[in-house]
């Protein structure tokens, strides 16, 4: 994640936490595939890329309509009164303009689809890294809780020994400091 700015890291972190929080209430999300499916469906960057793909597909469809005749209707007024004009136009030769526009629209659609795949891959890899970080932190928390429980057990033993005057009181004080 070295190539992300701090703002992007914070945004991704907040998004991951909101996904985990939202899904934790709705269902048990323990698996990475569930989180990944949710991320692909709901992440704002991916939704933007999907919208760009749809827009590029619409652009391709519009470019393909250039091959068909165009129908225009006008109402022109002259000194003799209004005249209705209906035109059906089909250029005989465009010098490759229509084909060029279609080719460009196809390329733009492929670029938009590639950007969508790239964004999905980036989000999923960042999600996987964040998920593994959460697992690592959970493991550290379990170890810390186990460590605290062991310190509490030792403190109780030393406290009983100090109360029975088998061990000096300073041992109990030191055990209490280590516990806290």
């Amino acid at each position: 994640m070295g190539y992300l700015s701090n703002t992007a890291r914070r945004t991704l972190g907040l998004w991951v936490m909101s996904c985990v929080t939202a899904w934790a209430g709705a269902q048990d999300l323990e698996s990475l595939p569930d989180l990944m499916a949710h991320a692909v469906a709901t992440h704002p960057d991916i939704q933007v890329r999907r919208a760009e793909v749809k827009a590029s597909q619409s652009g391709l469809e519009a470019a393909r309509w250039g091959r068909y005749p165009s129908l225009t209707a006008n109402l022109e007024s002259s000194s003799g009164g209004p005249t209705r004009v209906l035109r059906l136009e089909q250029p005989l030769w465009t010098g490759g303009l229509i084909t060029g526009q279609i080719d460009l629209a196809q390329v733009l659609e492929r670029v938009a689809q590639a950007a969508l795949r790239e964004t999905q891959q980036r989000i999923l890899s960042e999600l996987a890294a964040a998920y593994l970080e959460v697992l690592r932190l959970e493991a550290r928390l379990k170890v810390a809780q186990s460590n605290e429980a062991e310190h509490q057990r030792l403190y109780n033993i030393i406290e009983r020994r100090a109360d029975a005057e088998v061990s000096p009181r300073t041992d109990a004080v030191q055990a209490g400091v280590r516990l806290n």
Side-chain angles (χ1 to χ4, degrees), residues 71-92:
L71 180 66
T72 58
N74 290 330
L75 181 62
E76 298 175 358
S77 62
S78 62
S79 61
T83 305
R84 289 181 209 110
V85 177
L86 189 61
R87 289 186 188 133
L88 184 62
E89 296 178 340
Q90 175 67 44
L92 295 176

Side-chain angles (χ1 to χ4, degrees), residues 4-163:
L4 291 177
S5 68
N6 288 335
T7 305
R9 284 185 188 142
R10 269 187 250 117
T11 303
L12 177 66
L14 290 174
W15 180 82
V16 168
M17 292 308 293
S18 69
C19 285
V20 170
T21 304
W23 275 53
Q27 59 189 4
D28 187 29
L29 258 194
E30 293 286 327
S31 70
L32 183 59
D34 290 342
L35 284 172
M36 288 181 159
H38 182 67
V40 168
T42 63
H43 195 280
D45 288 349
I46 293 174
Q47 290 176 347
V48 166
R49 295 293 185 209
R50 281 195 183 118
E52 289 173 356
V53 168
K54 274 186 160 180
S56 67
Q57 289 169 343
S58 296
L60 176 59
E61 195 171 321
R64 286 182 177 151
W65 274 97
R67 290 188 172 149
Y68 298 105
S70 63
L71 180 66
T72 58
N74 290 330
L75 181 62
E76 298 175 358
S77 62
S78 62
S79 61
T83 305
R84 289 181 209 110
V85 177
L86 189 61
R87 289 186 188 133
L88 184 62
E89 296 178 340
Q90 175 67 44
L92 295 176
W93 184 70
T94 59
L97 181 65
I98 294 173
T99 305
Q101 287 175 339
I102 292 171
D103 290 346
L104 175 64
Q106 287 172 339
V107 168
L108 292 176
E109 181 189 19
R110 284 195 301 265
V111 166
Q113 289 176 350
L116 172 63
R117 287 190 300 273
E118 179 184 349
T119 301
Q120 287 173 337
Q121 186 176 20
R122 179 181 55 85
I123 296 300
L124 292 177
S125 66
E126 291 170 1
L127 177 65
Y131 184 78
L132 293 175
E133 182 67 14
V134 167
L135 291 179
R136 186 183 71 80
L137 291 174
E138 284 178 351
R140 285 183 65 189
L141 179 63
K142 286 179 185 177
V143 168
Q145 289 169 340
S146 172
N147 192 12
E148 181 183 15
E150 183 64 19
H151 273 82
Q152 182 66 46
R153 187 184 72 77
L154 290 174
Y155 173 72
N156 292 339
I157 291 171
I158 293 172
E159 186 68 28
R160 283 194 303 270
R161 289 178 58 95
D163 289 344

